[in-house]
Amino acid sequence: MKKNTKYIFVTGGVVSSLGKGIVAASLGKLLLSRGLKGTIQKFDPYINIDPGTLNPYEHGECYVTEDGYESDLDLGHYERFLEIRTSRNNNVTTGRVYKNVIERERRGDFLGKTVQVVPHITDEIKRCVKRTSLNNDLDFVITEIGGTVGDIESLPFLESVRQLKSELGNENCVVIHLTYVPYLRAAKELKTKPTQHSVKQLQEEGIQPDMLVLRTEMELDENLLEKVALFTNVPVEAVVQSYDVPSIYEVPLMLQSQKMDEVILRMLGLPVGPAPAMKPWHNFLAKGRAATEKVRIGLVGKYVELQDAYKSIDEALHQSAIYNDRLLDLVRIQSDNVTPESVDELLRDLDGVLVAPGFGSRGVEGKLTVLKWCREHDIPTFGICLGMQCMCIEFARNVLGLKEASSTEFEEKTAVPIIDLMESQKEVIDLGGTMRLGAYDCALTPGSKVAEIYGKEMISERHRHRYEFNNEYGEAFEKAGARFTGHNPHSDLAEVIELPDKRWYIGTQFHPEYSSTLLHTHPLFLSFIKAAIDYRKERTKK
């Protein structure tokens, strides 16, 4: 007998960037820990089909699913927290909704009817909400609605939520509203009025929230929670607070302590039972609290000013440091600012360097300068995607003596195309969703360092690129001491480069950060951090 899937919506009010994704992922973690089966998805109100063509300064990191969909960065939180694999069905934008409806209209599916926001756009949104549960026997689906209540672009999504709540009934559909409770330092007061107004706006759209999550910088007292409950028609046991904690991974336990998951289960008529112990989660946090020594890693990229631009890398480094009993001291280095004159001062106090992914020529010369210094000083170095390609260009210029070595991404007519456009990309015109995307197999060379790290010789990792190493130069690289120790078994695309004579110098064309989770942290990151710790110990002894 198919399960009666329950639907949970998470909306936001007052201001953006309150952490809806973290709250949604935390609730999902708590429900899965109780033995329930479910998934989580993000609906974004912007008109782009996906975030693939968005500048990281606009929208933060673009996350890639295994099936090759460029998605919102919150899907990264979902996978890291819930230990699930998301797909293109877990992220929907306004652009994608309208595209689907317009394509149906062009086919004549509406039989000459006038196509309107209601019911056609809202019906498509509702179809997307339910789609993830159609072929999966799920207990629950959590849907995070992007944006803030009151935004014009969010209205069709909120109208769809209102319709679903009416159609499914309160016992099958609940709405959690996340708002902000600011603290006015001059008056020494916490203010609930923004929350009251936000709930009122939601009610004006025909939606009464079933639960409130109050985002705040400090813990709130019972009187304030009762006041909020009184003025918003929400039961006091369903008014939950999310105050600042040292790590985002403490949020599920903070919400569990307030019985958030129990309240939701009772609302939906699902069995409650005893609270899950979540022992591995507690063990990770305990290791983090016990760590006192630091490991200092330099992250070299051209979007480092924005903390969300390399979110998955940040989290993989943080997790790996904790599992190596260290605190991560992350130094963000803007590659635009690196010169041969400044590089020594910028890098000499680091224990390891990670050269980040990216697109375009800006900041590349700085990355090449960093990699030359790292190779010559034998510091643990990790290059990802463009970082790996820059490793190849630097090696060609400064070891092989090919001073004009470059990528056709930066110099279309370069005489020495160490990195070249993939054959499959040469006829591509549209930029959105057309790169080499998603999970591909990679065969690792037996006995190589990377095979030793993985503990196996066949892996699958996610990709997001158009350019590749030009295999015409492979033999010259190998003769000079470089090793290409990972290849796609079908296309022979070079996936991994390493310098065996260095402590730890590895570049990957793929993005290992996308598959690193809290309970299954990626082995490459764990190994990189361990090498950085060992290097720090050597320097300390000297």
Side-chain angles (χ1 to χ4, degrees), residues 357-359 382-392 407 409 418-420 422 435-436 438 440 442 454 459 461-470 484 486-488 493-497 506-514 524:
F359 295 92
F382 195 176
I384 297 177
C385 199
L386 179 61
M388 178 262 203
Q389 294 176 3
C390 286
M391 283 179 162
C392 297
S407 167
E409 181 181 6
I418 295 298
I419 305 298
D420 200 3
M422 300 176 69
M435 284 184 279
R436 186 172 188 257
Y440 288 86
C442 176
Y454 274 95
I459 60 171
E461 294 284 7
R462 303 182 212 186
H463 291 250
R464 186 178 185 242
H465 63 106
R466 295 185 192 278
Y467 295 81
E468 64 174 318
F469 176 75
N470 187 342
F484 289 98
H487 289 84
N488 180 274
L493 172 73
E495 301 271 27
V496 182
I497 185 174
I506 295 175
T508 65
Q509 183 60 73
F510 51 78
H511 289 257
E513 70 274 18
Y514 290 148
L524 277 174

Side-chain angles (χ1 to χ4, degrees), residues 155-184:
L155 291 176
F157 291 99
L158 295 178
E159 170 60 18
S160 301
V161 172
R162 184 197 68 79
Q163 292 179 22
L164 277 170
K165 197 161 172 56
S166 175
E167 293 166 12
L168 298 173
N170 292 334
E171 69 280 4
N172 293 313
C173 181
V174 299
V175 175
I176 301 169
H177 190 51
L178 176 66
T179 73
Y180 181 50
V181 177
Y183 177 71
L184 298 185

Side-chain angles (χ1 to χ4, degrees), residues 353-381:
V353 172
L354 190 150
V355 180
F359 295 92
S361 60
R362 182 175 69 82
V364 164
E365 289 302 321
K367 290 184 177 182
L368 296 175
T369 300
V370 164
L371 288 165
K372 181 175 185 291
W373 190 96
C374 290
R375 182 179 52 78
E376 292 176 346
H377 289 77
D378 196 9
I379 179 174
T381 307

Side-chain angles (χ1 to χ4, degrees), residues 3 82 153 197 213 232 235 247 307 349 361 423 427 455 467 477 510 512 517 526-527 534:
K3 291 178 181 176
L82 277 63
E153 56 263 36
H197 282 302
V213 178
T232 59
S247 165
Q307 67 174 8
D349 293 328
S361 60
E423 198 61 39
E427 303 301 320
Y467 295 81
F477 269 68
F510 51 78
T517 70
L526 289 168
S527 176
D534 292 342

Side-chain angles (χ1 to χ4, degrees), residues 513-538:
E513 70 274 18
Y514 290 148
S515 53
S516 186
T517 70
L518 184 130
L519 299 183
H520 294 91
T521 301
H522 199 284
L524 277 174
F525 281 91
L526 289 168
S527 176
F528 170 61
I529 291 294
K530 185 179 185 306
I533 293 168
D534 292 342
Y535 176 60
R536 183 184 182 96
K537 289 176 181 176
E538 286 181 39

